[in-house]
Amino acid sequence: MNRWGEKRYHSLDYDLKQNYGEKVYKITLDGGMTCPNRDGKVGRGGCIFCSASGSGDFAGSRALSITEQIARGKKELNGKRPVHSYIAYFQAFTNTYAPVERLKKLYMEAIQDEEVKILSIATRPDCLGDDVLELLGAVNRIKPVWVELGLQTIHPATAAFIRRGYELPVFEKAVKDLRKLGITVIVHTILFLPGETKAQMLKTLDYLNHMDIQGIKLQLLHILKGTDLAEEYKKRPFLVPDMQEYIEFLGTCISRLNPQITIHRLTGDGPSDLLIAPLWTSQKRTVLNTLHRYLKEQDIWQGKEYHE
């Protein structure tokens, strides 16, 4: 069994402490973007699960400058503990979907802070034109750049249902283009999407095991107020796992996952005022503690069942 500190999986916290000698905290930012899946270029309404804030429910206020958002984020974090290192995370909406001159201004403003060690950018694979890639490569030569791509699933029927708006080869090209620039690629997946079997979810995982990616987020589907998914759930309720079922399936996923891939997320904590289901996810510490106990009891570790 590999050892990643006290955990049985290759956690982001472990990686950051190894590379920076201390815990590195994320400050979530809103760069004032929108999304081609909302403004009509690709579609209207966004992905079926996406909230009105473009999955940036915990991001800073777009009414503030990036510098002001970082300062506010630092103040909030330092109120709880002494912090010296940060990740500037552009989270809300699609954060490469703007003229490259504007993107450059936003990114450079974020990394000018000496305590910001990493620039992390959430985006869509179909929003990485040559000019954007050139900019990302240039910034990556100054400070490390991470790009988070929202894949969610490899299955066409599910992708169509959630209105993802791009085909799998677009994702594959994006990964190759980013890796040519030496940029770290993190992939966002969603577990228990409506209609998907556990075997299908594991196929998505097996596919990613053999992609040149460095990180993964395993996110349980959240049903949030105001989304089209919430309307679907109201009309035709679908399976939402209880905590025990989810933890057991996470154990299977962790066991199958390439041990070289860093796990950035294993659950999620949707805003309490928006979360319809599953409500137990709001107890994030309980979920993670239960997971760690389960992995130990079942003698599960990341990569135990992984085969190259």
Side-chain angles (χ1 to χ4, degrees):
M1 172 180 149
N2 287 320
R3 294 288 179 184
W4 297 283
E6 298 176 353
K7 295 188 176 73
R8 288 177 162 253
Y9 54 87
H10 190 164
S11 72
L12 174 61
D13 187 54
Y14 173 83
D15 261 6
L16 291 170
K17 285 179 180 176
Q18 290 294 111
N19 291 318
Y20 294 94
E22 63 181 339
K23 193 171 179 68
V24 183
Y25 289 83
K26 189 174 287 184
I27 297 174
T28 54
L29 306 171
D30 188 332
M33 310 285 179
T34 183
C35 174
N37 207 10
R38 288 174 178 264
D39 68 7
K41 183 176 181 181
V42 170
R44 296 282 184 186
C47 294
I48 194 171
F49 52 79
C50 195
S51 67
S53 64
S55 295
D57 299 292
F58 299 106
S61 169
R62 62 175 52 192
L64 302 176
S65 70
I66 296 303
T67 300
E68 290 168 333
Q69 290 183 52
I70 290 174
R72 180 173 288 187
K74 282 186 177 185
K75 185 177 180 181
E76 290 174 357
L77 288 167
N78 277 290
K80 303 174 185 176
R81 61 190 77 76
V83 184
H84 311 288
S85 299
Y86 303 89
I87 300 168
Y89 178 36
F90 284 88
Q91 181 187 40
F93 296 96
T94 302
N95 291 282
T96 58
Y97 190 52
V100 73
E101 296 80 10
R102 181 182 171 203
L103 295 176
K104 182 178 181 180
K105 180 180 182 298
L106 293 170
Y107 300 163
M108 296 305 290
E109 186 177 351
I111 66 169
Q112 71 180 355
D113 188 308
E114 291 185 1
E115 291 183 319
V116 169
K117 308 300 182 183
I118 299 162
L119 177 67
S120 186
I121 300 165
T123 192
R124 292 170 56 90
D126 55 357
C127 292
L128 291 167
D130 291 342
D131 56 345
V132 173
L133 288 167
E134 184 179 352
L135 171 62
L136 293 175
V139 177
N140 191 51
R141 291 191 288 273
I142 303 171
K143 286 188 178 180
V145 172
W146 296 354
V147 172
E148 180 179 325
L149 299 175
L151 174 67
Q152 323 311 355
T153 178
I154 64 167
H155 302 289
T158 314
F161 174 76
I162 64 175
R163 302 197 304 253
R164 189 179 67 189
Y166 68 84
E167 302 296 328
L168 198 56
V170 177
F171 168 79
E172 293 170 348
K173 181 180 185 303
V175 173
K176 289 178 182 176
D177 288 344
L178 291 165
R179 292 303 297 143
K180 284 178 185 176
L181 297 169
I183 290 171
T184 294
V185 176
I186 301 153
V187 179
H188 194 283
T189 63
I190 297 182
L191 301 177
F192 290 91
L193 286 165
E196 282 208 349
T197 64
K198 291 177 181 176
Q200 286 178 306
M201 295 179 234
L202 290 173
K203 281 187 178 180
T204 294
L205 201 67
D206 290 341
Y207 164 85
L208 290 172
N209 270 338
H210 299 95
M211 293 290 289
D212 186 11
I213 68 169
Q214 290 63 57
I216 191 168
K217 287 186 174 182
L218 298 171
Q219 167 77 51
L220 174 59
L221 181 68
H222 283 161
I223 304 166
L224 302 178
K225 294 176 184 177
T227 64
D228 290 344
L229 182 66
E231 290 301 311
E232 182 71 22
Y233 185 65
K234 184 178 179 181
K235 293 175 187 174
R236 289 176 286 276
F238 48 82
L239 171 69
V240 176
D242 62 25
M243 186 170 73
Q244 188 60 37
E245 180 179 8
Y246 184 64
I247 283 171
E248 289 176 5
F249 186 62
L250 269 185
T252 302
C253 291
I254 289 168
S255 181
R256 291 270 283 263
L257 186 63
N258 183 339
Q260 299 302 315
I261 297 175
T262 302
I263 296 177
H264 287 237
R265 181 184 293 163
L266 283 167
T267 179
D269 46 354
S272 58
D273 59 331
L274 296 180
L275 185 63
I276 295 173
L279 292 175
W280 56 262
T281 59
S282 61
Q283 306 169 52
K284 189 173 181 180
R285 186 178 296 276
T286 299
V287 174
L288 290 175
N289 287 342
T290 306
L291 172 66
H292 295 156
R293 186 167 58 250
Y294 176 78
L295 296 178
K296 186 175 182 180
E297 289 172 352
Q298 301 299 317
D299 196 26
I300 293 169
W301 65 87
Q302 185 175 339
K304 183 179 182 180
E305 302 296 333
Y306 168 71
H307 303 289
E308 293 185 6

